[in-house]
């Protein structure tokens, strides 16, 4: 480990907000392997390992399976910057949709409190998940995991 910061599994767990067991599992399946192991068997992660873990967690947030994530991030042509830009766009789309869902809840509660019928179109505003699943399929391949 010349010139690099090393993080223990506990430190990475605390930083990423995931369990130590999850990190052990990611190591076991070859998804995020620590760059080094001490003679005592302690896992040590580098900045590069943390970058890969971040990618994994972004893909998980978007509903990808671990199998699909491993395939994507292991590709020789995987472009981390492009993936981050794609993640950002998809998460902004999700944020917008969630905002519409919150507004729909507010309108529904308001209609209930006022004892009036709600506009049917407004009732279902924000429930357009299929649009985002198709976009994800186009960007990263086919899988039933994000349908």
């Amino acid at each position: 480990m010349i010139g690099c910061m090393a993080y223990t599994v506990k430190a990475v767990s605390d930083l990423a907000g995931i369990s130590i067991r999850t990190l052990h599992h990611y190591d076991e399946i070859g998804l995020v392997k620590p760059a080094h192991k001490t003679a005592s068997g302690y896992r040590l992660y580098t900045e590069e390992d943390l970058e890969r873990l971040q990618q994994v967690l972004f893909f998980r947030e978007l509903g990808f399976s671990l199998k699909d994530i491993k395939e994507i991030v292991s590709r020789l042509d995987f472009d981390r910057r492009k993936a981050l830009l794609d993640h950002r766009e998809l998460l902004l789309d999700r944020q917008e949709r969630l905002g519409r869902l919150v507004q729909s809840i507010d309108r529904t509660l308001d209609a209930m409190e006022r004892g009036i019928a709600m506009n049917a179109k407004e009732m279902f505003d924000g429930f357009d998940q299929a649009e985002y699943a198709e976009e994800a399929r186009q960007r990263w391949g086919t899988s039933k995991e994000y349908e």
Side-chain angles (χ1 to χ4, degrees), residues 2-66:
I2 299 171
C4 67
M5 177 83 176
Y7 299 87
T8 64
V9 71
K10 171 78 168 101
V12 174
S13 170
D14 290 344
L15 283 168
I18 59 176
S19 70
I20 291 171
R21 180 64 195 122
T22 296
L23 286 168
H24 288 181
H25 179 65
Y26 288 177
D27 181 12
E28 290 164 9
I29 65 172
L31 185 59
V32 180
K33 297 191 80 51
H36 308 284
K37 286 191 181 178
T38 66
S40 304
Y42 291 105
R43 294 166 171 88
L44 297 176
Y45 295 85
T46 63
E47 295 286 335
E48 187 175 297
D49 300 327
L50 296 183
E51 290 171 0
R52 182 168 172 121
L53 176 60
Q54 182 192 47
Q55 283 300 316
V56 168
L57 296 179
F58 279 134
F59 277 113
R60 289 296 288 162
E61 186 65 33
L62 291 166
F64 284 75
S65 72
L66 294 179

Side-chain angles (χ1 to χ4, degrees), residues 118-129:
M118 190 171 174
N119 174 302
K121 181 170 175 23
E122 287 182 344
M123 190 180 296
F124 297 102
D125 189 28
F127 290 104
D128 52 357
Q129 297 98 339

Side-chain angles (χ1 to χ4, degrees), residues 58-118:
F58 279 134
F59 277 113
R60 289 296 288 162
E61 186 65 33
L62 291 166
F64 284 75
S65 72
L66 294 179
K67 179 180 177 251
D68 288 340
I69 295 169
K70 183 178 177 184
E71 181 182 309
I72 293 166
V73 299
S74 298
R75 290 179 186 158
L76 293 177
D77 64 345
F78 179 73
D79 182 338
R80 181 172 176 247
R81 184 176 191 292
K82 182 179 179 332
L84 287 169
L85 291 169
D86 289 344
H87 293 317
R88 183 179 191 284
E89 184 178 331
L90 287 170
L91 290 170
L92 285 171
D93 288 346
R94 180 180 287 176
Q95 180 182 34
E96 180 183 329
R97 185 176 61 81
L98 290 173
R100 288 195 326 266
L101 287 169
V102 169
Q103 288 174 350
S104 182
I105 289 170
D106 291 344
R107 284 190 301 270
T108 302
L109 289 169
D110 182 58
M112 288 173 66
E113 289 170 8
R114 293 175 37 205
I116 61 173
M118 190 171 174

